[in-house]
Amino acid sequence: MDRGEMTVPQEEMARQAEFAAMVRALPHRPGSYHVVTYGCQMNAHDSEKIAGMLEEMGMVASEKREDADFVIFNTCCVRENAERRALGNVTWLKEVRKQKPDMVIAVCGCMIQEPGMAETILKKYKFVDLAFGTANLHKLPEMLYETLNAGKQTVNVEDRDVIAEGLPVRRLRQDAAYLTVMYGCDNFCSYCIVPYVRGRERSRDPETILREAEELAASGVKEIMLLGQNVNSYGKGLPGNPTFAGLLEKLDGIGIPRIRFMTSHPKDLSDDLIDVMAKGKHILPQFHLPVQSGNNEILKKMNRHYTREQYLDRVSRLRSAIPGIGLSTDIIISFPGETEAQFEDTMSLVREVKFDSAFTFIYSPRTGTKAAEMEGIIPDEVSTERIQRLISLQEQLQQETLKRFIGQEEEILVEGLSRRSRLAVSGKGRHAVSVTVEGTEQDIGQIMKCRITNLKNNTLAGERIPGGKA
Ligand code: 5AD
Ligand code: SF4
């Protein structure tokens, strides 16, 4: 399928807008909504689109799910526990609905896109009114209209890789925004379900992305987070073969104060990208670079297409081009057959790199992936013990790495009041580390200059630099 066919035609988007108006005009439509989101930033952004569409249909946000007339679960299936949690919460709502019989319940997202899940929903979760996969998101107005009219379960799962432009977005934050650059993933890491549920890689047109970024800039957004499962392979299949590095350079020229992106695959991290980051004015000095394992045999079995040595080379290139860069990673332990020595290779890589933060996961078999067929399942006790060792090593190293910020100036985008003190606010610095500073509600959404003064329990604290609003 070429890109032209992937993009949902304008006429179809207009048809959906008509359905939205029809839902709005229905006398018994839901008046309020609540979106429950699981998983990654992609899902969080999809939820913003869902909220945007529902508001177009006349609904208002409800803070609590049990108070809403329409509750939608935007699910994740990357690891089994995310899936279990979602299904548990959906089932819990069935009880709530006994008191609120008009409540409409919908389930969408990656989990629905899993093979066999639609049938399961039809049979086992009969109380779910509407279920649809990631490729159908833009059809929510039509699906909801049918559900409300027909009064029977609607299940809609399509396998098509689409790009739907122009959906309304109800942003979670006014100061920061997500901006998707590409959808899907072609990497097929052997443990990962994403390529099966999010489809093939497809990149958005660079001009459309730039226009969206300009609109965000004009609306006063201070930070954009560029999204893609593998942003480094942006541009594949587009006319003129644009690259992520090229796109980032153009975005940097718009003048939005802070630009971040995720996720990157080490095998596709080009020198060009590092150079653009080093030269950029607004691209933040931070990088999320999932390593997954420090052992070459395991990396091979994971189908990651790089070695430990190549990963370390990328890290040193990043660090020499962008001194002090904030580095974070994802790690999976207990991949099938992982020996103690192989796990120790991951520990030694963590010791060597000294990440600012690491997201650590115990391997979770996903039906349909290559790894799910592999032998050598690691017993739970071994996994629990290994992950504890890894987490405590990371915490201990973090104490060291974060010390480099003490005495330094940082610029934070204030996210909210600190959880520890009512007279303090916290936000992310340019290097992606959280900093707590004295402040009030009025500082939320502002960029604040501060000097880091100390580190307590792996949390940095700073002092505001007077007049230091950036
Ligand atoms: N089991 C455990 N962790 C997984 N991840 C992806 N698939 C699995 C799985 N089957 C982790 C990877 C990825 C992160 C988003 O989730 O570390 O980078
Ligand atoms: Fe999954 Fe690998 Fe694609 Fe990341 S790069 S989404 S881990 S298949």
Side-chain angles (χ1 to χ4, degrees):
M1 204 189 322
D2 72 16
R3 269 197 80 261
E5 289 170 52
M6 279 176 176
T7 307
V8 179
Q10 273 311 308
E11 305 83 75
E12 174 58 20
M13 297 306 287
R15 207 171 74 87
Q16 292 304 324
E18 277 168 31
F19 272 110
M22 279 152 71
V23 171
R24 201 183 173 106
L26 283 177
H28 302 299
R29 68 158 167 83
S32 59
Y33 73 91
H34 183 95
V35 190
V36 186
T37 310
Y38 299 90
C40 64
Q41 282 87 354
M42 289 278 194
N43 255 20
H45 191 34
D46 280 350
S47 290
E48 292 183 327
K49 293 178 188 164
I50 291 169
M53 285 187 272
L54 295 175
E55 294 196 0
E56 263 197 0
M57 292 184 240
M59 296 180 216
V60 292
S62 160
E63 206 153 295
K64 285 197 195 139
R65 64 187 82 165
E66 53 272 38
D67 296 336
D69 301 330
F70 179 65
V71 182
I72 179 161
F73 291 87
N74 187 11
T75 61
C76 166
C77 61
V78 167
R79 290 171 297 275
E80 197 184 353
N81 56 1
E83 191 165 299
R84 219 182 300 128
R85 224 157 28 101
L87 286 172
N89 283 329
V90 175
T91 309
W92 172 81
L93 210 63
K94 179 185 172 186
E95 295 306 308
V96 175
R97 194 167 61 178
K98 287 187 179 151
Q99 263 77 53
K100 211 174 179 303
D102 290 336
M103 182 188 260
V104 179
I105 302 176
V107 185
C108 68
C110 295
M111 197 178 82
I112 303 298
Q113 210 80 38
E114 269 183 278
M117 187 49 89
E119 291 76 29
T120 306
I121 294 279
L122 273 173
K123 275 200 216 118
K124 285 216 221 140
Y125 296 83
K126 289 211 169 74
F127 59 93
V128 170
D129 301 292
L130 171 61
F132 58 94
T134 50
N136 293 63
L137 191 70
H138 63 284
K139 291 194 188 151
L140 176 59
E142 179 178 0
M143 292 184 292
L144 189 55
Y145 183 78
E146 278 171 7
T147 307
L148 295 173
N149 259 351
K152 66 175 177 36
Q153 203 182 34
T154 312
V155 175
N156 214 332
V157 188
E158 268 178 46
D159 225 2
R160 265 186 50 122
D161 299 334
V162 295
I163 300 179
E165 294 292 358
L167 285 177
V169 174
R170 171 83 171 86
R171 288 211 315 271
L172 290 167
R173 286 173 61 176
Q174 291 314 302
D175 56 335
Y178 293 124
L179 205 176
T180 305
V181 301
M182 50 100 60
Y183 298 93
C185 181
D186 287 351
N187 284 318
F188 290 92
C189 299
S190 64
Y191 50 83
C192 185
I193 192 93
V194 168
Y196 302 91
V197 295
R198 288 264 177 190
R200 297 288 61 72
E201 282 179 5
R202 49 214 189 269
S203 298
R204 289 180 72 199
D205 171 57
E207 291 307 317
T208 315
I209 296 172
L210 288 167
R211 224 177 308 128
E212 193 171 322
E214 279 160 6
E215 281 164 19
L216 290 168
S219 78
V221 156
K222 301 202 171 71
E223 178 178 294
I224 54 171
M225 163 76 105
L226 308 175
L227 295 179
Q229 300 295 347
N230 181 14
V231 289
N232 298 139
S233 60
Y234 171 79
K236 234 176 29 180
L238 286 185
N241 295 316
T243 62
F244 184 61
L247 178 72
L248 200 56
E249 196 167 21
K250 286 197 188 127
L251 288 165
D252 188 51
I254 290 178
I256 296 171
R258 297 162 53 119
I259 303 179
R260 318 162 61 189
F261 56 86
M262 75 184 320
T263 294
S264 297
H265 195 302
K267 79 175 162 57
D268 300 315
L269 169 47
S270 68
D271 287 349
D272 280 354
L273 175 63
I274 300 177
D275 293 343
V276 166
M277 287 184 75
K279 275 194 293 189
K281 282 203 179 76
H282 306 290
I283 308 162
L284 297 187
Q286 52 175 269
F287 216 101
H288 183 64
L289 194 61
V291 64
Q292 314 297 3
S293 167
N295 174 271
N296 283 338
E297 261 169 73
I298 295 287
L299 284 171
K300 195 150 197 212
K301 280 169 75 177
M302 287 179 163
N303 198 31
R304 290 290 286 177
H305 295 283
Y306 56 83
T307 60
R308 172 191 177 104
E309 294 71 26
Q310 284 164 335
Y311 183 88
L312 292 173
D313 168 72
R314 295 291 78 192
V315 168
S316 59
R317 183 76 217 270
L318 278 168
R319 283 191 165 144
S320 60
I322 308 153
I325 189 168
L327 272 184
S328 57
T329 198
D330 291 346
I331 296 169
I332 300 177
I333 63 129
S334 290
F335 188 78
E338 185 186 72
T339 63
E340 179 58 25
Q342 289 171 329
F343 170 69
E344 274 301 334
D345 283 343
T346 297
M347 295 281 278
S348 79
L349 180 130
V350 167
R351 261 184 229 110
E352 198 169 332
V353 176
K354 298 192 176 69
F355 296 102
D356 287 316
S357 64
F359 299 90
T360 53
F361 308 104
I362 295 176
Y363 166 73
S364 153
R366 306 283 59 210
T367 311
T369 61
K370 283 252 162 63
E373 322 259 286
M374 291 180 190
E375 287 179 2
I377 293 292
I378 310 295
D380 287 351
E381 320 78 83
V382 176
S383 299
T384 312
E385 189 271 334
R386 281 184 189 167
I387 200 138
Q388 279 165 359
R389 258 155 69 200
L390 178 60
I391 291 170
S392 77
L393 171 66
Q394 175 57 28
E395 277 175 2
Q396 182 195 322
L397 292 168
Q398 222 158 295
Q399 283 285 345
E400 293 305 310
T401 58
L402 294 182
K403 271 190 196 152
R404 76 179 187 281
F405 293 109
I406 297 178
Q408 302 286 320
E409 266 185 29
E410 249 302 0
E411 245 174 43
I412 64 167
L413 177 57
V414 179
E415 271 170 56
L417 293 175
S418 157
R419 265 177 284 157
R420 300 202 182 148
S421 154
R422 304 186 82 226
L423 296 171
V425 290
S426 71
K428 286 253 161 65
R430 293 171 58 80
H431 299 79
V433 289
S434 292
V435 184
T436 305
V437 189
E438 208 175 283
T440 65
E441 219 152 281
Q442 265 140 28
D443 298 313
I444 297 174
Q446 304 294 331
I447 293 179
M448 191 196 274
K449 272 204 180 134
C450 59
R451 186 173 305 283
I452 311 284
T453 49
N454 69 55
L455 172 68
K456 223 196 257 168
N457 306 325
N458 271 350
T459 309
L460 289 167
E463 277 171 1
R464 184 194 288 245
I465 296 178
K469 239 179 214 173

